[in-house]
CSV table of all heavy atoms in Angstrom, one decimal:
chain,number,residue,atom,x,y,z
A,26,ALA,N,-6.2,158.2,28.4
A,26,ALA,CA,-5.3,158.2,27.1
A,26,ALA,C,-4.8,159.6,26.8
A,26,ALA,O,-3.7,159.7,26.2
A,26,ALA,CB,-6.2,157.6,26.0
A,27,LEU,N,-5.6,160.6,27.1
A,27,LEU,CA,-5.1,161.9,26.9
A,27,LEU,C,-4.0,162.3,27.8
A,27,LEU,O,-3.0,163.1,27.4
A,27,LEU,CB,-6.3,162.9,26.9
A,27,LEU,CG,-7.5,162.6,26.1
A,27,LEU,CD1,-8.6,163.7,26.2
A,27,LEU,CD2,-7.2,162.4,24.6
A,28,GLU,N,-4.2,161.9,29.0
A,28,GLU,CA,-3.2,162.4,30.0
A,28,GLU,C,-1.8,161.6,29.9
A,28,GLU,O,-0.8,162.0,30.5
A,28,GLU,CB,-3.8,161.9,31.5
A,28,GLU,CG,-4.9,162.9,31.9
A,28,GLU,CD,-5.3,162.7,33.3
A,28,GLU,OE1,-5.0,161.6,33.9
A,28,GLU,OE2,-6.0,163.6,33.8
A,29,ARG,N,-1.8,160.5,29.1
A,29,ARG,CA,-0.6,160.0,28.7
A,29,ARG,C,0.4,160.9,27.9
A,29,ARG,O,1.6,160.7,27.9
A,29,ARG,CB,-0.7,158.6,28.0
A,29,ARG,CG,-1.4,157.5,28.8
A,29,ARG,CD,-0.4,156.9,29.8
A,29,ARG,NE,0.7,156.3,29.2
A,29,ARG,CZ,1.9,156.3,29.7
A,29,ARG,NH1,2.3,157.2,30.7
A,29,ARG,NH2,2.9,155.6,29.1
A,30,VAL,N,-0.3,161.9,27.4
A,30,VAL,CA,0.5,163.0,26.5
A,30,VAL,C,0.4,164.3,27.0
A,30,VAL,O,1.4,165.0,27.0
A,30,VAL,CB,0.0,162.8,25.0
A,30,VAL,CG1,0.5,164.1,24.2
A,30,VAL,CG2,0.5,161.5,24.4
A,31,HIS,N,-0.8,164.7,27.5
A,31,HIS,CA,-1.1,166.1,27.8
A,31,HIS,C,-1.1,166.2,29.3
A,31,HIS,O,-1.6,165.5,30.1
A,31,HIS,CB,-2.5,166.5,27.2
A,31,HIS,CG,-2.3,166.7,25.7
A,31,HIS,ND1,-1.6,167.6,25.1
A,31,HIS,CD2,-2.9,165.9,24.7
A,31,HIS,CE1,-1.8,167.6,23.9
A,31,HIS,NE2,-2.5,166.5,23.6
A,32,ASP,N,-0.7,167.4,29.8
A,32,ASP,CA,-0.7,167.9,31.1
A,32,ASP,C,-2.1,168.0,31.7
A,32,ASP,O,-3.0,168.4,31.0
A,32,ASP,CB,0.0,169.3,31.2
A,32,ASP,CG,-0.1,169.9,32.5
A,32,ASP,OD1,0.6,169.5,33.5
A,32,ASP,OD2,-1.0,170.8,32.7
A,33,ALA,N,-2.3,167.5,32.8
A,33,ALA,CA,-3.7,167.4,33.4
A,33,ALA,C,-4.3,168.9,33.7
A,33,ALA,O,-5.5,169.1,33.4
A,33,ALA,CB,-3.6,166.8,34.8
A,34,GLY,N,-3.5,169.8,34.0
A,34,GLY,CA,-3.9,171.2,34.1
A,34,GLY,C,-4.4,171.8,32.8
A,34,GLY,O,-5.4,172.5,32.8
A,35,TYR,N,-3.7,171.4,31.8
A,35,TYR,CA,-4.1,171.9,30.4
A,35,TYR,C,-5.4,171.3,30.0
A,35,TYR,O,-6.2,172.0,29.5
A,35,TYR,CB,-2.9,171.5,29.4
A,35,TYR,CG,-3.3,171.7,27.9
A,35,TYR,CD1,-3.6,173.1,27.5
A,35,TYR,CD2,-3.3,170.6,27.1
A,35,TYR,CE1,-3.8,173.3,26.1
A,35,TYR,CE2,-3.6,170.9,25.7
A,35,TYR,CZ,-3.8,172.1,25.3
A,35,TYR,OH,-4.2,172.4,23.9
A,36,LEU,N,-5.6,170.0,30.3
A,36,LEU,CA,-6.8,169.4,29.9
A,36,LEU,C,-8.0,169.9,30.7
A,36,LEU,O,-9.1,170.2,30.2
A,36,LEU,CB,-6.8,167.9,30.2
A,36,LEU,CG,-5.8,167.2,29.2
A,36,LEU,CD1,-5.7,165.6,29.7
A,36,LEU,CD2,-6.3,167.2,27.8
A,37,ASP,N,-7.7,170.3,32.0
A,37,ASP,CA,-8.7,170.9,32.8
A,37,ASP,C,-9.1,172.3,32.2
A,37,ASP,O,-10.3,172.6,32.2
A,37,ASP,CB,-8.2,171.2,34.3
A,37,ASP,CG,-8.1,169.9,35.1
A,37,ASP,OD1,-8.7,168.9,34.7
A,37,ASP,OD2,-7.4,169.9,36.0
A,38,PHE,N,-8.1,173.0,31.7
A,38,PHE,CA,-8.4,174.3,31.1
A,38,PHE,C,-9.3,174.1,29.9
A,38,PHE,O,-10.3,174.9,29.7
A,38,PHE,CB,-7.1,175.0,30.7
A,38,PHE,CG,-7.2,176.0,29.6
A,38,PHE,CD1,-7.8,177.3,29.9
A,38,PHE,CD2,-6.8,175.8,28.2
A,38,PHE,CE1,-8.0,178.3,28.9
A,38,PHE,CE2,-7.1,176.7,27.3
A,38,PHE,CZ,-7.5,177.9,27.7
A,39,LEU,N,-9.0,173.2,29.0
A,39,LEU,CA,-9.8,173.0,27.8
A,39,LEU,C,-11.2,172.6,28.2
A,39,LEU,O,-12.2,173.1,27.6
A,39,LEU,CB,-9.1,171.9,26.9
A,39,LEU,CG,-7.9,172.3,26.2
A,39,LEU,CD1,-7.3,171.1,25.4
A,39,LEU,CD2,-8.0,173.5,25.2
A,40,GLU,N,-11.3,171.7,29.1
A,40,GLU,CA,-12.5,171.2,29.5
A,40,GLU,C,-13.5,172.3,30.1
A,40,GLU,O,-14.8,172.2,30.0
A,40,GLU,CB,-12.4,170.0,30.4
A,40,GLU,CG,-13.8,169.2,30.6
A,40,GLU,CD,-13.4,167.8,31.1
A,40,GLU,OE1,-12.3,167.6,31.7
A,40,GLU,OE2,-14.3,167.0,31.1
A,41,SER,N,-12.8,173.2,31.0
A,41,SER,CA,-13.7,174.2,31.7
A,41,SER,C,-13.6,175.5,31.0
A,41,SER,O,-14.3,176.5,31.5
A,41,SER,CB,-13.1,174.3,33.1
A,41,SER,OG,-11.8,174.9,33.0
A,42,PHE,N,-13.1,175.6,29.9
A,42,PHE,CA,-12.9,177.0,29.2
A,42,PHE,C,-14.2,177.7,29.0
A,42,PHE,O,-14.3,178.8,29.4
A,42,PHE,CB,-12.2,176.8,27.8
A,42,PHE,CG,-12.4,178.0,26.9
A,42,PHE,CD1,-11.9,179.2,27.2
A,42,PHE,CD2,-13.3,177.8,25.9
A,42,PHE,CE1,-12.2,180.3,26.4
A,42,PHE,CE2,-13.7,178.9,25.1
A,42,PHE,CZ,-13.1,180.2,25.3
A,43,TRP,N,-15.2,177.1,28.4
A,43,TRP,CA,-16.4,177.8,28.0
A,43,TRP,C,-17.1,178.3,29.2
A,43,TRP,O,-17.5,179.4,29.2
A,43,TRP,CB,-17.3,176.9,27.2
A,43,TRP,CG,-18.5,177.7,26.6
A,43,TRP,CD1,-19.7,177.6,27.0
A,43,TRP,CD2,-18.4,178.7,25.6
A,43,TRP,NE1,-20.5,178.5,26.2
A,43,TRP,CE2,-19.7,179.2,25.4
A,43,TRP,CE3,-17.4,179.2,24.8
A,43,TRP,CZ2,-20.0,180.2,24.5
A,43,TRP,CZ3,-17.7,180.3,23.9
A,43,TRP,CH2,-19.0,180.7,23.7
A,44,GLY,N,-17.2,177.6,30.3
A,44,GLY,CA,-17.8,178.1,31.5
A,44,GLY,C,-17.1,179.2,32.1
A,44,GLY,O,-17.7,180.2,32.5
A,45,ARG,N,-15.7,179.2,32.1
A,45,ARG,CA,-15.0,180.3,32.6
A,45,ARG,C,-15.2,181.6,31.7
A,45,ARG,O,-15.2,182.7,32.2
A,45,ARG,CB,-13.5,180.0,32.7
A,45,ARG,CG,-13.2,178.9,33.7
A,45,ARG,CD,-11.6,178.5,33.7
A,45,ARG,NE,-11.2,177.6,34.6
A,45,ARG,CZ,-10.6,178.0,35.7
A,45,ARG,NH1,-10.4,179.2,35.9
A,45,ARG,NH2,-10.2,177.1,36.6
A,46,TRP,N,-15.2,181.4,30.4
A,46,TRP,CA,-15.3,182.4,29.4
A,46,TRP,C,-16.6,183.1,29.6
A,46,TRP,O,-16.7,184.4,29.6
A,46,TRP,CB,-15.2,181.8,28.0
A,46,TRP,CG,-15.2,182.8,26.9
A,46,TRP,CD1,-16.1,182.9,25.9
A,46,TRP,CD2,-14.2,183.8,26.6
A,46,TRP,NE1,-15.8,183.8,25.0
A,46,TRP,CE2,-14.6,184.4,25.3
A,46,TRP,CE3,-13.0,184.2,27.2
A,46,TRP,CZ2,-13.8,185.4,24.7
A,46,TRP,CZ3,-12.3,185.3,26.6
A,46,TRP,CH2,-12.8,185.8,25.3
A,47,THR,N,-17.7,182.4,29.7
A,47,THR,CA,-19.0,183.0,29.8
A,47,THR,C,-19.3,183.6,31.2
A,47,THR,O,-19.9,184.6,31.4
A,47,THR,CB,-20.1,182.0,29.5
A,47,THR,OG1,-20.0,180.8,30.3
A,47,THR,CG2,-20.0,181.6,28.0
A,48,ASP,N,-18.7,182.9,32.3
A,48,ASP,CA,-18.7,183.5,33.6
A,48,ASP,C,-18.1,184.9,33.7
A,48,ASP,O,-18.5,185.7,34.6
A,48,ASP,CB,-18.1,182.6,34.6
A,48,ASP,CG,-18.9,181.3,34.9
A,48,ASP,OD1,-20.1,181.3,34.5
A,48,ASP,OD2,-18.4,180.4,35.5
A,49,ALA,N,-17.1,185.1,32.8
A,49,ALA,CA,-16.5,186.4,32.8
A,49,ALA,C,-17.2,187.4,32.0
A,49,ALA,O,-16.7,188.6,31.7
A,49,ALA,CB,-15.0,186.2,32.2
A,50,GLY,N,-18.4,187.0,31.5
A,50,GLY,CA,-19.2,187.9,30.7
A,50,GLY,C,-18.9,188.0,29.3
A,50,GLY,O,-19.4,188.9,28.5
A,51,ARG,N,-18.2,187.0,28.8
A,51,ARG,CA,-17.8,186.9,27.4
A,51,ARG,C,-18.7,186.0,26.6
A,51,ARG,O,-19.4,185.1,27.1
A,51,ARG,CB,-16.4,186.4,27.3
A,51,ARG,CG,-15.4,187.0,28.3
A,51,ARG,CD,-14.9,188.4,27.9
A,51,ARG,NE,-14.0,188.9,28.8
A,51,ARG,CZ,-12.8,188.7,29.0
A,51,ARG,NH1,-12.2,187.9,28.1
A,51,ARG,NH2,-12.0,189.2,29.8
A,52,SER,N,-18.7,186.3,25.3
A,52,SER,CA,-19.5,185.3,24.3
A,52,SER,C,-18.7,185.3,23.1
A,52,SER,O,-17.8,186.2,22.8
A,52,SER,CB,-20.9,185.9,24.1
A,52,SER,OG,-20.8,187.2,23.5
A,53,GLY,N,-19.0,184.4,22.2
A,53,GLY,CA,-18.2,184.2,21.0
A,53,GLY,C,-17.0,183.7,21.1
A,53,GLY,O,-16.5,183.1,22.2
A,54,GLU,N,-16.2,183.6,20.1
A,54,GLU,CA,-14.8,183.0,20.0
A,54,GLU,C,-13.8,183.8,20.8
A,54,GLU,O,-13.9,185.0,20.9
A,54,GLU,CB,-14.3,182.8,18.5
A,54,GLU,CG,-15.3,182.0,17.8
A,54,GLU,CD,-15.1,182.0,16.3
A,54,GLU,OE1,-14.4,182.9,15.8
A,54,GLU,OE2,-15.6,181.2,15.6
A,55,ALA,N,-12.9,183.0,21.5
A,55,ALA,CA,-11.9,183.5,22.3
A,55,ALA,C,-10.5,183.5,21.6
A,55,ALA,O,-10.1,182.5,21.0
A,55,ALA,CB,-11.9,182.8,23.6
A,56,PHE,N,-9.8,184.6,21.8
A,56,PHE,CA,-8.4,184.6,21.4
A,56,PHE,C,-7.5,185.2,22.5
A,56,PHE,O,-7.9,186.1,23.1
A,56,PHE,CB,-8.2,185.6,20.1
A,56,PHE,CG,-8.9,185.2,19.0
A,56,PHE,CD1,-10.2,185.6,18.7
A,56,PHE,CD2,-8.4,184.3,18.0
A,56,PHE,CE1,-10.9,185.2,17.5
A,56,PHE,CE2,-9.1,183.9,16.9
A,56,PHE,CZ,-10.3,184.4,16.6
A,57,PRO,N,-6.4,184.6,22.7
A,57,PRO,CA,-5.5,185.1,23.8
A,57,PRO,C,-4.7,186.4,23.3
A,57,PRO,O,-4.7,186.7,22.1
A,57,PRO,CB,-4.4,184.0,23.9
A,57,PRO,CG,-4.5,183.3,22.6
A,57,PRO,CD,-5.8,183.4,22.0
A,58,PHE,N,-4.3,187.2,24.3
A,58,PHE,CA,-3.6,188.4,23.8
A,58,PHE,C,-2.4,188.7,24.7
A,58,PHE,O,-1.7,189.7,24.4
A,58,PHE,CB,-4.6,189.6,23.9
A,58,PHE,CG,-5.0,190.0,25.3
A,58,PHE,CD1,-4.3,190.8,26.1
A,58,PHE,CD2,-6.2,189.4,25.8
A,58,PHE,CE1,-4.8,191.2,27.3
A,58,PHE,CE2,-6.6,189.7,27.0
A,58,PHE,CZ,-5.9,190.6,27.8
A,59,VAL,N,-2.0,187.9,25.7
A,59,VAL,CA,-0.8,188.1,26.4
A,59,VAL,C,-0.2,186.7,26.8
A,59,VAL,O,-0.9,185.7,27.0
A,59,VAL,CB,-1.2,188.9,27.8
A,59,VAL,CG1,-2.1,188.1,28.6
A,59,VAL,CG2,0.1,189.1,28.5
A,60,TRP,N,1.2,186.6,26.6
A,60,TRP,CA,1.8,185.3,26.8
A,60,TRP,C,3.0,185.5,27.9
A,60,TRP,O,3.7,186.6,27.9
A,60,TRP,CB,2.3,184.8,25.5
A,60,TRP,CG,1.3,184.4,24.5
A,60,TRP,CD1,0.7,183.2,24.4
A,60,TRP,CD2,0.6,185.3,23.6
A,60,TRP,NE1,-0.2,183.2,23.4
A,60,TRP,CE2,-0.3,184.4,22.9
A,60,TRP,CE3,0.7,186.6,23.2
A,60,TRP,CZ2,-1.1,185.0,21.9
A,60,TRP,CZ3,0.0,187.1,22.2
A,60,TRP,CH2,-1.1,186.2,21.6
A,61,PRO,N,3.4,184.4,28.5
A,61,PRO,CA,4.5,184.4,29.4
A,61,PRO,C,5.8,184.2,28.7
A,61,PRO,O,6.4,183.1,28.7
A,61,PRO,CB,4.2,183.3,30.4
A,61,PRO,CG,3.4,182.4,29.6
A,61,PRO,CD,2.6,183.1,28.6
A,62,VAL,N,6.2,185.1,27.9
A,62,VAL,CA,7.5,185.1,27.1
A,62,VAL,C,8.7,185.2,28.0
A,62,VAL,O,8.5,185.3,29.3
A,62,VAL,CB,7.5,186.1,26.0
A,62,VAL,CG1,6.3,185.8,25.0
A,62,VAL,CG2,7.3,187.5,26.5
């Protein structure tokens, strides 16, 4: 039902985010700082 609206790669990112964030040695809340403008 989510994929009827959202990109699969985006959903993969949301679902895997915390593991990637902690694997990079991070903790706490995440904020982006660079964008493909």
Side-chain angles (χ1 to χ4, degrees):
L27 308 182
E28 289 185 344
R29 294 289 292 137
V30 165
H31 289 290
D32 173 75
Y35 172 63
L36 294 174
D37 290 343
F38 159 73
L39 289 177
E40 194 165 14
S41 66
F42 156 74
W43 187 250
R45 289 172 176 265
W46 184 244
T47 55
D48 285 349
R51 314 288 178 78
S52 62
E54 297 167 347
F56 297 92
F58 66 90
V59 60
W60 292 270
V62 298

